[in-house]
Amino acid sequence: MKLSIIVPCYNEQENLTSFYSETQKYIKNLPIVTEIVFIDDGSLDGTLSILKKLANQYNDVKYISFSRNFGKEAAILAGFQYATGDAVILMDADLQHPPSVIPTMWKYFEEGYDQVIAKRNRKKEKIARRLLTNIFYKFANKLVDVTFTDGIGDFRLISRRALNAYLETNERNRFSKGLFSWIGFEEKIIEFDNYIRVNGSSKWSFKNLLNYAIDGILSFNNKPLRIAIHSGLLITLFGFCYIVWLLINYLLNGVVAPGYLTTISTIIFLGGIQLLFLGIIGEYIGRIYYETKQRPPYLIKEKSFKEQ
Ligand code: UDP
Ligand code: MG
């Protein structure tokens, strides 16, 4: 049996060597062959040269290097496409995903689970942050068809047959969290403690996270478009009632007030709603635009192995 570990790396020079040695601690005792595929996602620091060094030194290390930064989703895809194992594990390079979980994951894989998902608990996080994430997940799950669970990220083991299913989804705009859930298969969730990143910094800014959330919601269904229709109907109904009320008022009392406030608030309110939903519709059209271009999701500058 062979296990592939897929590691997307963007500016991770401080972490790679310790990532390799930490991981070895836990996989060397398993009765399996391993390969570690690092994907250098167009890093600007010494990541690629360290990967080259590691690949020279250890023959279970492979690397793929992109021509520029294509984003973590593209790196995940490349890693999955080049992995040769009977199972793959996706991990971050910053050791926030503890390698100590690997043997347990493998155990459940041998028991027949197709996806073994490591769930981070938020014990070490601030209450405010925990609360916010809770609200986000409640909200997101109302909007999409697949289920997102808090603390479940990309750290997981996937069997060969589940991986092949994943690779059959060929959309360009990839949202892995949703795709993993969409493919289904037997799942097992295991928990681990959350670790704070030791070296380097997180690549997610608030704007990134917001865009990520929008991607997640939009790539999984067209419910937002339906909300547009529903609220459009509702507002029209209210508008109609309001006009009837105004007419009755006019018949009973004649012209009373100039009605500045109501006019202006209606315009602002409707204008806002229209802009919002135009934006949503635009997003979907934008997605269609990107999909039809059929551009490759990433471009490889160099890699440490021949085409398989
Ligand atoms: N990463 C990547 N491409 C990017 C951004 C991040 O390959 O454009 C990698 C990064 O090197 C790390 C993983 O994705 O291995 C998770 O990134 P990060 O630690 O910044 O995210 P966080 O843990 O804060 O969610
Ligand atoms: Mg991290």
Side-chain angles (χ1 to χ4, degrees):
M1 292 288 245
K2 182 170 178 181
L3 171 68
S4 308
I5 297 178
I6 311 295
V7 194
C9 315
Y10 180 53
N11 297 344
E12 299 284 2
Q13 58 179 6
E14 301 96 344
N15 292 317
L16 294 173
T17 323
S18 51
F19 175 87
Y20 182 79
S21 53
E22 272 300 305
T23 317
Q24 284 306 315
K25 273 192 212 159
Y26 297 96
I27 56 181
K28 67 168 188 269
N29 295 325
L30 292 174
I32 49 174
V33 186
T34 50
E35 69 174 357
I36 305 186
V37 185
F38 291 96
I39 300 94
D40 163 35
D41 185 10
S43 300
L44 304 170
D45 64 356
T47 298
L48 181 58
S49 60
I50 294 176
L51 288 181
K52 281 181 178 164
K53 230 186 284 164
L54 284 174
N56 273 333
Q57 220 170 335
Y58 309 104
N59 46 25
D60 58 341
V61 172
K62 295 179 176 176
Y63 66 82
I64 299 169
S65 180
F66 287 175
S67 62
R68 63 168 172 85
N69 179 251
F70 279 93
K72 191 181 175 190
E73 290 291 342
I76 294 175
L77 180 66
F80 282 176
Q81 285 173 336
Y82 285 96
T84 55
D86 299 294
V88 301
I89 292 181
L90 181 61
M91 281 176 90
D92 282 359
D94 55 12
L95 288 169
Q96 279 183 308
H97 295 164
S100 53
V101 183
I102 295 175
T104 326
M105 284 180 152
W106 185 262
K107 191 188 95 199
Y108 285 112
F109 167 63
E110 287 194 315
E111 281 178 18
Y113 289 100
D114 286 291
Q115 296 205 53
V116 186
I117 304 162
K119 181 173 188 284
R120 162 188 83 224
N121 57 39
R122 292 189 181 269
K123 275 184 200 154
K124 293 187 185 160
E125 278 183 22
K126 295 203 182 74
I127 303 214
R129 169 93 196 237
R130 267 196 261 175
L131 205 76
L132 270 179
T133 10
N134 263 337
I135 294 173
F136 168 75
Y137 278 96
K138 285 253 158 56
F139 180 68
N141 279 324
K142 285 248 161 10
L143 278 179
V144 296
D145 299 331
V146 294
T147 331
F148 295 139
T149 316
D150 179 26
I152 286 188
D154 299 324
F155 187 22
R156 63 178 70 215
L157 176 147
I158 301 170
S159 73
R160 176 47 63 182
R161 63 177 179 182
L163 182 65
N164 287 343
Y166 174 91
L167 289 174
E168 268 180 50
T169 61
N170 52 14
E171 57 217 76
R172 308 282 128 166
N173 201 311
R174 305 185 71 83
F175 187 75
S176 284
K177 265 194 200 190
L179 287 175
F180 289 141
S181 159
W182 182 84
I183 59 171
F185 290 96
E186 206 86 48
E187 286 181 359
K188 175 79 193 172
I189 297 182
I190 53 183
E191 279 212 7
F192 69 90
D193 279 346
N194 194 25
Y195 288 92
I196 313 292
R197 192 188 242 277
V198 192
N199 294 311
S201 57
S202 172
K203 277 93 202 170
W204 295 97
S205 60
F206 177 72
K207 201 173 135 221
N208 281 150
L209 279 175
L210 185 68
N211 284 333
Y212 187 65
I214 294 177
D215 270 344
I217 289 163
L218 292 188
S219 24
F220 268 86
N221 62 20
N222 51 12
K223 273 188 202 167
L225 284 176
R226 209 152 316 136
I227 298 177
I229 297 172
H230 289 171
S231 47
L233 281 175
L234 208 71
I235 289 166
T236 318
L237 192 73
F238 276 135
F240 182 73
C241 296
Y242 186 56
I243 290 168
V244 171
W245 184 77
L246 280 183
L247 270 177
I248 295 172
N249 204 21
Y250 167 71
L251 289 177
L252 292 180
N253 305 324
V255 177
V256 254
Y260 173 76
L261 189 73
T262 43
T263 318
I264 218 73
S265 49
T266 319
I267 292 173
I268 292 173
F269 181 61
L270 282 183
I273 297 269
Q274 275 174 347
L275 272 184
L276 175 67
F277 288 110
L278 264 183
I280 294 178
I281 294 166
E283 272 289 328
Y284 280 101
I285 295 175
R287 258 146 237 266
I288 298 170
Y289 172 66
Y290 280 111
E291 293 292 328
T292 51
K293 282 207 256 203
Q294 293 281 316
R295 283 206 184 131
Y298 57 82
L299 294 169
I300 292 177
K301 182 168 65 180
E302 57 177 287
K303 57 188 182 340
S304 65
F305 50 91
K306 295 244 150 49
E307 216 70 54
Q308 289 125 349

